[in-house]
């Protein structure tokens, strides 16, 4: 099994022609679900290699059709399965850009107080910028916008991010 990263979850079928309703969990939706893109469905602990035939957006979901699976009877079994991209099919990013899987798990340090805020547990794309969920043990989670004026440094080798938290963003209960 090669290294792979989750890009979505199949939540249902759509119509009778094999389209699957997918909730994406990737930061590069257009690239990941482009026609011709190879993906992996993890079905009952088996990897099923598929190729995207077409994709269209509907609200917060994608309707994805895979080559050779253009029939509802061929895809019903994949409901609730996860979709992955193989590491070798991921693009190189420009400097200062990161994949979600590189950020999730980072220890976040408040530069002003020189103390650990917590760890990044989730990332939400909002359109304008991503928002990190920082889990603070024993305290309320912090939602931190991923902006240059807030996130000052990321060091993947040290598994840390240094931030300047704007006043009033964190409840000091």
């Amino acid at each position: 099994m090669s290294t792979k990263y989750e890009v979505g979850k199949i939540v249902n079928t759509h119509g009778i022609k094999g389209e699957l309703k997918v909730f994406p969990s990737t930061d590069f939706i257009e690239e990941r679900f482009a026609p011709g893109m190879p993906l992996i469905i993890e079905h009952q602990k088996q990897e099923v290699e598929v190729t995207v035939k077409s994709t269209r957006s509907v609200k917060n979901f994608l309707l994805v059709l895979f080559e050779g699976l253009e029939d509802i009877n061929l895809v019903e079994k994949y409901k609730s399965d996860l979709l992955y991209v193989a590491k070798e099919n991921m693009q190189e990013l420009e400097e200062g850009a990161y994949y979600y899987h590189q950020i999730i798990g980072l220890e976040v340090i408040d530069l002003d107080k020189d103390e650990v805020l917590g760890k990044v547990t989730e990332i939400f794309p909002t359109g304008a910028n991503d928002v990190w969920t920082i889990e603070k043990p024993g305290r309320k989670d912090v939602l931190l916008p991923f902006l240059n004026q807030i996130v000052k440094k990321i060091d993947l080798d040290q598994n840390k991010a240094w931030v300047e938290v704007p006043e009033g963003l964190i409840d000091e209960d």
Side-chain angles (χ1 to χ4, degrees):
M1 225 191 287
S2 64
T3 302
K4 62 186 190 277
Y5 299 102
E6 184 182 325
V7 295
K9 179 175 180 153
I10 299 168
V11 293
N12 211 341
T13 57
H14 180 81
I16 61 169
K17 296 184 178 176
E19 279 187 309
L20 291 165
K21 192 173 185 181
V22 174
F23 183 72
S25 58
T26 178
D27 33 357
F28 300 97
I29 292 170
E30 290 79 22
E31 292 93 344
R32 293 286 168 261
F33 293 96
M37 183 68 177
L39 295 176
I40 300 163
I41 300 173
E42 192 169 270
H43 180 68
Q44 298 177 346
K45 299 185 181 175
Q46 298 290 315
E47 291 184 355
V48 179
E49 294 183 16
V50 293
T51 302
V52 176
K53 182 172 184 178
S54 67
T55 301
R56 54 192 178 114
S57 293
V58 178
K59 297 183 182 170
N60 294 334
F61 293 93
L62 300 175
L63 295 177
V64 182
L65 183 64
F66 294 113
E67 291 178 10
L69 297 176
E70 296 95 346
D71 183 309
I72 189 170
N73 297 314
L74 299 173
V75 297
E76 274 188 310
K77 63 185 173 190
Y78 298 128
K79 284 195 283 190
S80 300
D81 287 346
L82 296 176
L83 280 167
Y84 295 88
V85 64
K87 184 176 182 178
E88 57 268 20
N89 291 324
M90 296 174 67
Q91 299 89 334
E92 286 294 316
L93 297 179
E94 58 192 51
E95 189 166 331
Y98 303 92
Y99 285 110
Y100 286 4
H101 71 267
Q102 292 175 301
I103 299 299
I104 292 173
L106 289 182
E107 185 176 69
V108 180
I109 300 162
D110 184 331
L111 277 170
D112 294 330
K113 297 180 179 177
D114 194 31
E115 68 182 26
V116 175
L117 274 178
K119 286 192 186 285
V120 180
T121 57
E122 266 183 292
I123 301 174
F124 297 101
T126 64
N129 56 271
D130 289 342
V131 175
W132 294 358
T133 301
I134 313 294
E135 185 179 81
K136 293 177 72 177
R139 314 238 354 238
K140 197 164 122 185
D141 289 352
V142 174
L143 298 178
L144 194 68
F146 180 59
L147 300 169
N148 289 337
Q149 60 263 40
I150 294 176
V151 180
K152 296 299 185 180
K153 180 181 174 189
I154 294 174
D155 187 327
L156 297 177
D157 293 330
Q158 290 188 45
N159 204 36
K160 295 180 193 258
W162 288 266
V163 299
E164 287 183 359
V165 180
E167 199 170 317
L169 188 67
I170 298 177
D171 293 337
E172 298 296 336
D173 38 17

